[in-house]
Amino acid sequence: MEKLLYSIIEVSGGIGKNIIATAVISAIKKKYPERNILVLTAFPEVFLNNVDVYRVFRFGSCPYFYDDYVKGNDVLFFCAEPYRSNGYLRQSKHLIESWCEELGVPVNLDMKLCLNSRELDIARSKIGVSKPILVYQPFGGPSNIAYNYCWNRDIPPRQAQEIANILCEKYHIVQPISGNIIRLNNCEHANLPLRDLFCLLYFSSAVLGIDSCIQHAARAMNRHATVCWITNSPVVFGYDSHTNI
């Protein structure tokens, strides 16, 4: 039986890293166009409708994966961890560039979030506000329920509230939330599935946040964002197309 050609990439980490991985996957596809790409991830929603991806599997939900895709086939594995690369550890290169170099594929900085027309139509029908929408993510924070503020990444809560108090006069502010993240006044609190969050960004007029998934998603959809930085570096995680403070 003829061997099938696959490239398999495992993407650990959070939503932002998975969005970054879409650029790396495009680079893999460019170098090995004849191979179908399989993605193993905790966030398969990021890769839906992506033309570079043949199949995507959620961690823990891929029984018989070895028998179906590895055994007897011609497979290349891309399992390098970019957080252990020289470029990242020296804080000298963007994470995408470091990741591509670790995998030996051409550097590609163009990320993809692929929304279909049906998703956008549903999202558009739910928007019923008169003011322009501002997506505001002042807190990313750890998922541990004992903590709801991460000092080295989040905007200090008092300042975050002052910003919301000012911007609510011009914008309808939507604050994406999950877990026990601090809820700000003068904001709509939206605990949305990932695909719905991406659609919200698509229809937003402005994006303000920190180094978290929102800024990566905005860049992937060519939406300008203003991003506030504390200890993380925009050289490694940011984008020149954004306003980096």
Side-chain angles (χ1 to χ4, degrees):
M1 188 170 65
E2 182 181 1
K3 292 184 178 181
L4 300 177
L5 304 177
Y6 293 117
S7 294
I8 298 177
I9 180 170
E10 178 188 68
V11 185
S12 60
I15 300 167
K17 188 180 176 188
N18 276 262
I19 295 172
I20 285 175
T22 63
V24 179
I25 287 168
S26 292
I28 294 172
K29 190 65 176 178
K30 183 175 181 179
K31 184 169 182 179
Y32 304 101
E34 74 284 358
R35 293 179 173 271
N36 287 324
I37 296 178
L38 310 175
V39 181
L40 299 170
T41 175
F43 300 98
E45 300 91 340
V46 170
F47 305 95
L48 296 183
N49 303 322
N50 189 320
V51 295
D52 295 323
V53 176
Y54 177 67
R55 293 282 189 276
V56 59
F57 301 88
R58 190 185 301 274
F59 289 146
S61 299
C62 42
Y64 311 110
F65 183 87
Y66 178 83
D67 289 337
D68 291 343
Y69 296 103
V70 179
K71 186 177 181 180
N73 291 319
D74 185 340
V75 179
L76 293 179
F77 293 93
F78 296 89
C79 301
E81 175 50 72
Y83 289 145
R84 297 191 180 98
S85 67
N86 280 311
Y88 174 76
L89 294 173
R90 293 173 179 169
Q91 299 285 284
S92 61
K93 296 179 179 179
H94 196 279
L95 190 67
I96 295 175
E97 186 177 0
S98 298
W99 202 343
C100 288
E101 289 180 355
E102 286 291 297
L103 297 178
V105 296
V107 174
N108 169 62
L109 300 177
D110 295 325
M111 300 177 292
K112 294 179 181 178
L113 286 176
C114 305
L115 303 172
N116 63 41
S117 58
R118 180 60 176 162
E119 289 176 302
L120 294 175
D121 286 343
I122 292 173
R124 186 185 293 109
S125 69
K126 294 179 179 179
I127 296 174
V129 295
S130 57
K131 294 180 181 178
I133 294 172
L134 165 66
V135 178
Y136 182 31
Q137 188 186 27
F139 316 117
S143 58
N144 190 320
I145 197 168
Y147 304 96
N148 61 2
Y149 173 67
C150 184
W151 72 267
N152 71 315
R153 188 175 60 165
D154 297 350
I155 299 174
R158 180 176 176 179
Q159 292 181 347
Q161 185 61 69
E162 290 174 351
I163 292 169
N165 293 345
I166 294 169
L167 293 179
C168 70
E169 296 181 7
K170 180 179 178 180
Y171 294 99
H172 178 85
I173 304 175
V174 180
Q175 180 193 1
I177 60 169
S178 62
N180 67 332
I181 289 293
I182 298 169
R183 273 70 163 168
L184 298 176
N185 297 325
N186 293 320
C187 297
E188 176 187 345
H189 304 138
N191 189 355
L192 298 172
L194 263 186
R195 300 295 291 185
D196 290 351
L197 178 59
F198 298 155
C199 288
L200 174 66
L201 281 168
Y202 182 89
F203 289 111
S204 66
S205 297
V207 179
L208 173 60
I210 58 171
D211 175 30
S212 195
C213 68
I214 293 297
Q215 71 126 349
H216 301 295
R219 177 63 185 87
M221 294 190 291
N222 295 314
R223 311 295 292 175
H224 176 266
T226 298
V227 186
C228 300
W229 300 85
I230 301 178
T231 63
N232 287 357
S233 169
V235 172
V236 179
F237 296 109
Y239 308 95
D240 292 340
S241 60
H242 290 343
T243 299
N244 296 298
I245 301 174

